Amino acid sequence: MYYNKVEICGVNTAKLATLTADEKKDLLLKSKQGDEAARQKLIDGNLRLVLSIIQRFTNRRENLDDLFQVGCIGLIKAIDNFNTDLEVKFSTYAVPMIIGEVRRYLRDNNTIRVSRSVRDLAYRALQAREKLSKDMAADPTLAQIAAELGEKEENVSHAIEAIVEPVSLYEPIYNDGGDSIYVMDQISDAGASDEAWLENIALREAMKKLNEREKKIIQMRFFRGKTQMEIADEIGISQAQVSRLEKGALERIRKQM
């Protein structure tokens, strides 16, 4: 089969180099200092990562050589923009960058085009859903989202469905002069393996930064489905304290992710 071939873009995938964590760290530092040889070695040493990611998209019948080249662009962007001062693994940062680049390529080469007005409505709907979720402490219905926007329910439904596949995970959906909000920040779908995979990687890294009490509250609240009052009774503090600790923990998780 075509997808099982060993050579991609003239690169023998059976002979791709690998780097240790220490080697990556050293090369990243040198690359930031302008060492082009270190940058190239870092690229070559992460091609296996690109290959493993693009294999997730082979069911689309896209040319594997093209996907590999696009994935390499994402890898290079990750290398050039990675902040070596943060305590984050390079792969944790590079994976969504590479996937985002591939999805952007697939979107731009998709024969189905979504109009700007439909996309704008979908983005506003995602923002409204996030706002209502916080205000209601529960997932809003489609009717509630439509009411919040003053739009017809069927129009909102159509708009959201229209962007599910073509839009990149790293497509900015809102920017008010500060940090951008991306589609990845707004969409949650347990059935989508890419999103769930990325979310799990980022969440594990972020959870490590919490203290033991915060970890316990987050686990009880979101993984065991307990209310703040139930958590307060179990660990022996007030509901207000649980709420404050939960809010602080979530804020740190968001910053880490």
Side-chain angles (χ1 to χ4, degrees):
M1 291 177 61
Y2 173 78
Y3 289 126
N4 289 332
K5 73 174 189 175
V6 174
E7 190 172 281
I8 300 178
C9 298
V11 177
N12 187 341
T13 58
K15 296 182 179 180
L16 291 176
T18 57
L19 299 170
T20 66
D22 288 339
E23 286 174 330
K24 286 181 183 179
K25 185 176 181 180
D26 181 59
L27 290 171
L28 281 165
L29 290 172
K30 290 180 178 178
S31 178
K32 286 295 181 184
Q33 295 169 358
D35 189 328
E36 288 297 325
R39 181 174 179 266
Q40 186 59 53
K41 189 173 180 180
L42 195 56
I43 294 170
D44 294 340
N46 282 280
L47 292 180
R48 283 187 183 276
L49 177 62
V50 175
L51 182 61
S52 69
I53 290 172
I54 66 170
Q55 288 173 346
R56 292 173 164 266
F57 299 91
T58 55
N59 63 337
R60 297 170 182 268
R61 301 297 179 185
E62 293 286 339
N63 185 292
L64 199 61
D65 284 357
D66 291 342
L67 292 183
F68 186 74
Q69 292 182 61
V70 172
C72 288
I73 292 173
L75 171 63
I76 292 170
K77 287 183 178 180
I79 290 172
D80 291 344
N81 292 286
F82 183 70
N83 188 342
T84 54
D85 295 330
L86 299 178
E87 295 181 5
V88 177
K89 291 182 180 179
F90 174 70
S91 59
T92 303
Y93 179 77
V95 166
M97 289 285 283
I98 296 169
I99 290 180
E101 199 67 33
V102 173
R103 282 188 175 272
R104 188 177 298 110
Y105 165 80
L106 293 174
R107 179 203 68 203
D108 292 343
N109 286 274
N110 198 314
T111 55
I112 300 174
R113 298 295 178 182
V114 181
S115 70
R116 172 56 61 183
S117 61
V118 172
R119 286 163 64 100
D120 287 345
L121 176 56
Y123 297 155
R124 290 194 294 116
L126 294 175
Q127 289 178 262
R129 184 174 68 179
E130 177 72 9
K131 176 180 179 296
L132 290 171
S133 294
K134 291 179 180 179
D135 293 343
M136 300 164 53
D139 290 333
T141 65
L142 186 61
Q144 289 170 325
I145 294 174
E148 175 75 13
L149 296 173
E151 299 280 353
K152 292 182 179 179
E153 188 173 335
E154 58 267 29
N155 290 344
V156 174
S157 176
H158 170 71
I160 293 176
E161 289 175 0
I163 70 163
V164 168
E165 183 59 29
V167 179
S168 164
L169 288 173
Y170 273 70
E171 180 84 5
I173 65 174
Y174 180 73
N175 191 313
D176 191 22
D179 293 334
S180 296
I181 298 174
Y182 299 93
V183 174
M184 184 180 180
D185 300 326
Q186 303 294 308
I187 297 176
S188 176
D189 182 0
S193 58
D194 287 338
E195 286 81 354
W197 181 45
L198 291 171
E199 212 169 72
N200 287 336
I201 292 174
L203 183 58
R204 283 198 299 269
E205 292 292 323
M207 287 285 285
K208 291 178 183 178
K209 306 296 182 181
L210 304 180
N211 61 44
E212 290 306 313
R213 173 174 280 186
E214 290 172 333
K215 286 180 185 177
K216 186 173 182 179
I217 289 174
I218 295 299
Q219 288 167 350
M220 294 173 70
R221 186 87 167 92
F222 298 100
F223 294 92
R224 291 166 56 189
K226 289 184 174 290
T227 66
Q228 290 183 348
M229 189 62 70
E230 289 172 331
I231 296 171
D233 290 340
E234 186 166 330
I235 65 179
I237 60 177
S238 69
Q239 185 271 333
Q241 287 177 298
V242 171
S243 178
R244 186 166 58 253
L245 289 168
E246 177 189 317
K247 183 178 180 181
L250 290 175
E251 184 62 30
R252 278 197 290 282
I253 288 175
R254 288 191 189 98
K255 290 180 179 178
Q256 288 295 322
M257 293 177 69

